[in-house]
Amino acid sequence: MTTLQVRVWRGGPQGGDYRAYEVPRQASQSVLDVVTYIQRTLDPTLAYRFACRVGMCGSCAMTVNGVARWTCRTHVDQVCADGRLELAPLANLPVIRDLVADMREFFDKWARARGRFAGRRTRHDDFERVAPDSEPRRQVDAAIECIGCGVCYSSCDVVAWNPDYLGPAALNRAWTLQRDVRDAAQAERLRAVAGDAGCHACHTHLSCTERCPKHISPTAGIAGLKRAAAAAALKGEL
Amino acid sequence: MSARREALLWAAQRASAAMLALCVVVHLATMIYAAHAGLGAAQILERTRGNVVWLGFYSVFLLAVVVHVPIGLRAVLSEWLGWRGASRDAFLAAFAAGLGWLGARAILGVFL
Ligand code: SF4
Ligand code: SF4
Ligand code: FES
């Protein structure tokens, strides 16, 4: 196969439609390479977002043939058997233009989930020591490599049904802090993430876990938050 | 408030699910036994009438159903119909009462 038939969603907040392009097929071509070719060679008005091209920054996620993916590390081979690609912005987020989704709400929810570390010590104290093989530390390790790409959020049906739902990424972030033995804002964080816009809205669908390019399981973290919230509520601490 | 309520409802949902798992297994095993042993209605009633063990077992089963089903239905109503707030909760309380009444009738029907 020498050319790819690519349909790209073009438009903005008011709506839009797919436009067709033909892109030469190359060995080891990533989906991001395809988008870049279109923008550099065929149509310079195409808007899209990327930065690192090596799967670290989390800015290049799009909907590829109906599935949210990081495009810089998705090879065309993996996703298109018949030479056709359909590219759209991430679902569950407002569109700014073409393939660029507005990530503000997504990251505001991290803040609402109390996603920042609250330390107890000052620069004058010694380091707190956390044993690398302790259970909480291992749970943090399993969840900490999130790149904030929004793939999980875009794949979650509960976000579509309940726009207030904090979503898998923000809750996964809260979980890494809930398991951080140095953090001093546990009760406050549990209050922020419990409730019907928080961890209790999750149906354990596992779409987030299946699609996360970093192989994180937000589902597992959310289940952990539910257990922690139940324990706190039974003790009257929530 | 919502955080605490949701957390407690979740705990109730989990605990009732565990009870249901056990009750359904016991119930099915009993049904299969009764069918294999060829027990008719009269013989079954003979065993259940005045039997406080079966009364206790099915009361626990019913309690688990009355707790579990409305909590699940609550999520369906909120997400699929967008029905939240006091009117939904009143409906669910009535629904739970209805389930309890039907279940209690069935249990007493084979006990008395
Ligand atoms: S497991 Fe929970 S957070 Fe993940 S996609 Fe399903 S409902 Fe959403
Ligand atoms: S959890 Fe995974 S899919 Fe979700 S934002 Fe982080 S890296 Fe992306
Ligand atoms: S461009 Fe940075 S993750 Fe894809």
Side-chain angles (χ1 to χ4, degrees), chain A residues 32 50-60 70-72 147:
Chain A
L32 186 65
F50 74 96
C52 71
R53 296 177 296 139
V54 290
M56 289 177 72
C57 70
S59 61
C60 66
W70 55 356
T71 55
C72 67
I147 57 173

Side-chain angles (χ1 to χ4, degrees), chain A residues 161 191 194-196 200-201 203 226-227 229-230 233-234 236 238, chain B residues 2-8 10-11 14 74-75 79-80 84 88:
Chain A
W161 294 328
R191 271 194 293 278
D196 57 7
H200 294 102
H203 283 304
K226 287 178 183 170
R227 284 193 298 273
L234 290 172
L238 194 69
Chain B
S2 148
R4 188 179 150 72
R5 187 175 55 228
E6 296 294 325
L8 291 175
W10 178 82
R14 275 303 168 92
R74 181 173 175 268
E79 281 168 15
W80 289 47
R84 292 161 212 269
R88 176 201 62 188

Side-chain angles (χ1 to χ4, degrees), chain A residues 106 145-152 169 172 212-214 216 218:
Chain A
F106 173 72
E145 297 288 346
C146 171
I147 57 173
C149 64
V151 163
C152 54
N172 179 71
C212 172
K214 297 294 289 180
I216 293 169

